[in-house]
Amino acid sequence: MKAFNNQNKAWLMTMLVLMVVTFVFSMKLGAITITWEEIQSTLSKWMSGQEMNLQERIFFQIRLPRALAGVFVGASLAVAGVLMQALFRNPIVEPGLIGTSSGAAFGASLYFVLGAVMEFNAGEWTLPLAACLGGTLSTVLVFLLAQNRSSGKSSVVALLLTGIAINALFLSGVGLLSYLARDPQARSIIFWNLGTLSGANWISISIIGAITLICLLVALRYAKPLNALMMGEDEAVFLGVNLKKLQIIIIALNVLLVAVATAFVGVISFVGLVVPHLLRLMKGSDNRFLLLGSALLGAIMLSLSDLASRLLLAPAELPIGIVTSLVGVPVFIALLRKKQYFF
Amino acid sequence: MLEAKNITVRIGQKTLLDNVSVSFEPGKLNLIIGPNGAGKSTLIKVISQQLRKHEGEVFYNSENVHSLSERKMAQMRAVLSQNIDLAFPLKVWEVVMMGRYPHFVETPRQIDQQAVEEAMEFFNIIEMAERNYLTLSGGEKQRVHFARVLTQIWYPKEGHNRFLLLDEPLTFLDVKYQFQFMHKLQELLENKDLVVIGVVHDLNLAARFGDMICLLDKGQLLASGPKLEVLSEDNIRSVFQLEPILYRNRVKDTVHLFFE
């Protein structure tokens, strides 16, 4: 009997290997090139607790966290893209397009400007928390406002237009805050809207890494109901899906993934759109494969984009959000022009 | 056995169903007919619980639907709708496998794969298993969904009936597919634990293939029972306001229907 069991192991293994390769390049290349010997000596000194020299400290404190940030942030944005596309039943939805990123940016800006005077303080977690709240608010707003009241389905046009409106709202909030802010705060806000991995450190990496892995594992448990949702909400319920619970969990995962990544590295758009789309072209739309594949391919793509942002203007840097937009916009427009997706 | 008791559905001022009580037997093809606006679709949606705001109660195997979880319902009840809007690229077998979702946790078991293969063979779509669903014709797509819906209730469950609900499944099919579809249904009804309830528009199709007919008009149940009783000149005249000519064949147990 033929096995109707879609594991796509070969594809996933290939992407895993590619991810490791890009990760190695991402560790080695940059304003300063790191050699194998330096990597080895850094790791052995780290394990034995010895003092590192300058080159080794650059690798350990700056380059390695940054390379890891590329992997985790890429994975989390791409996974969030898959989840949103499945939830909205539309393959052109992307975290940046439906307000999550701008909401998170607004939450973070609020923290930058008002953080010092706020009563509330959760230490390292204050910024991600503020970004999460902003991201949740904007996503839920778009989700509710774009829904057709009779069919409960969101048309692309309604989604995109609502997304534009909510984006404009929150970005003008960000604008207002940066207008009010003093210079160092305003600079943090600007750096934020362009996105960069250069600020990665071990604390941010452990938070992003933990959130990414947990969310991916939880999301995989919902691959089946998300597949059923492709046929519409009624059909999903006929297949035993608890719709309300599914929607709440998926929105929560999305917001967590996007807002936490955005909180530490700023707004990086189009990764969540381009990565799942490439996988759909190659292997179809089974969400289990898309989630695993997107985590890997997202990590590859963002590591490559970060390499480009480090190397193109070396020793200066190009913000990574600009690199991903340059790649993402043409793909997005090509997608919009394609008839196969419903408009 | 499936029972709907005292079902009333109101939307605003309008009463779509008015105190309808009806029960459906296993091993028979139960068809719901009536003119436009009679409440056929509303009734099947109450039975499938796609519509949950209603008065009255629905019982599956004498269990009240309100006490059953979505998943439990899905393990014994499958619904075939008329127009499924699936715009993502998926392989045909991946669509059919969705029917097994209520039965396995993360990856399909051997028994789920077997159900998918058998259902695809039953509907002659096994050759298309690896094709992209989006490239199929309307008739092919509907067969894929029929196979998907049946894999959902492919295996009998000891002491329980299985339920297949059809919400105007033939609307977009041509005559050949309509007949193929009805013949497949009759073949399936050799399983005596299967309760099949369908809404159909075409009176002749109902007269040709149905066993039990449930005739609705203006939200009320006008008649229900064996088709030779329900499809009488009087009933049809009063509901459709047309003068019917009926040819009954009591040996083959069929009715043919013409209008003046």
Coordinates of all heavy atoms in Angstrom, one line a residue, chain A residues 41 78 118 256 309:
Chain A
S41 N 39.2 28.4 20.1 CA 39.8 28.9 21.3 C 38.8 29.6 22.2 O 38.8 29.5 23.4 CB 41.0 29.8 21.0 OG 40.6 31.0 20.5
A78 N 8.8 33.8 10.4 CA 8.3 32.9 9.3 C 7.2 32.0 9.9 O 6.1 31.9 9.2 CB 9.4 32.1 8.7
M118 N 7.3 55.4 34.3 CA 6.2 54.4 34.6 C 6.4 53.8 36.0 O 7.6 53.5 36.4 CB 6.1 53.4 33.6 CG 5.2 53.8 32.4 SD 4.7 52.4 31.4 CE 6.3 51.8 30.8
L256 N 2.9 36.7 20.4 CA 4.1 36.4 21.2 C 5.3 36.3 20.3 O 6.3 36.9 20.5 CB 3.9 35.0 21.8 CG 4.5 34.8 23.2 CD1 3.8 35.9 24.2 CD2 4.2 33.4 23.8
S309 N 23.3 42.8 5.2 CA 23.2 44.1 5.8 C 24.6 44.4 6.5 O 24.9 45.6 6.6 CB 22.1 44.2 6.9 OG 22.5 43.6 8.1

